[in-house]
Amino acid sequence: IFGICRVSGNAMDPACKNGDLILYYRLQESYQAKALVVIEKDGERQIRRIIAKEGDTVDITENGLEINGYLQQENNIYMDTLPYKEGIQFPVTVGQGEYFVLGDNRTNAKDSRIYGVVKKKEIKGGVIALLRRSEM
């Protein structure tokens, strides 16, 4: 019913830091935008934020992140959201049973800008708790 995952790297900084433990609910049926989820992509578990769900159109330009034609104001994201040169082409319309995910650290997160949309079966669960590793 529940899963545990350790955060590896700084792709979700500052929400999740390297070494933090994530508790997630594996039986969740659907996910909303801005939810944190654990996904399995290319053989590795990642924590990412859902940005768009089925039916949404995502465009990332030099102006930033647009969902369905509206420029997004993300209060907890401290870096510009820009496309990657080696990534996918925009705009992208999210299909049925798919989600578009991004890391909070928008300058060096491997996310949907690289590998495209995430299928529902690749989502292992929704994050319900974070246990912060203490800094010494």
Side-chain angles (χ1 to χ4, degrees):
I1 295 177
F2 299 102
I4 296 176
C5 177
R6 183 175 298 278
V7 176
S8 177
N10 64 351
M12 286 301 295
D13 198 42
C16 305
K17 297 187 180 294
N18 189 40
D20 290 349
L21 285 178
I22 298 291
L23 179 65
Y24 60 96
Y25 182 59
R26 297 173 54 191
L27 302 179
Q28 195 163 338
E29 292 293 321
S30 63
Y31 304 95
Q32 299 300 318
K34 300 189 178 172
L36 289 180
V37 293
V38 175
I39 65 170
E40 188 153 332
K41 199 71 171 169
D42 302 326
E44 67 175 302
R45 293 225 168 160
Q46 304 173 352
I47 292 87
R48 296 293 181 264
R49 187 174 304 280
I50 291 178
I51 299 302
K53 52 187 188 163
E54 64 183 60
D56 290 338
T57 299
V58 178
D59 197 6
I60 299 178
T61 66
E62 61 278 345
N63 295 329
L65 172 65
E66 290 183 12
I67 307 289
N68 299 325
Y70 294 98
L71 189 61
Q72 301 299 297
Q73 300 297 319
E74 299 175 291
N75 297 332
N76 297 330
I77 305 301
Y78 303 107
M79 295 141 199
D80 292 335
T81 304
L82 300 171
Y84 289 142
K85 291 178 181 160
E86 69 277 5
I88 64 170
Q89 298 296 313
F90 290 97
V92 172
T93 299
V94 182
Q96 186 174 2
E98 297 177 335
Y99 296 90
F100 193 92
V101 298
L102 292 176
D104 285 358
N105 185 345
R106 301 289 165 83
T107 56
N108 42 319
K110 184 177 178 186
D111 51 32
S112 286
R113 293 174 290 175
I114 299 286
Y115 47 67
V117 295
V118 173
K119 302 210 178 297
K120 186 174 188 250
K121 67 181 181 177
E122 295 174 301
I123 299 177
K124 299 303 171 194
V127 173
I128 58 173
L130 177 138
L131 301 170
R132 174 90 354 122
R133 178 186 68 132
S134 66
E135 300 289 328
M136 294 202 196

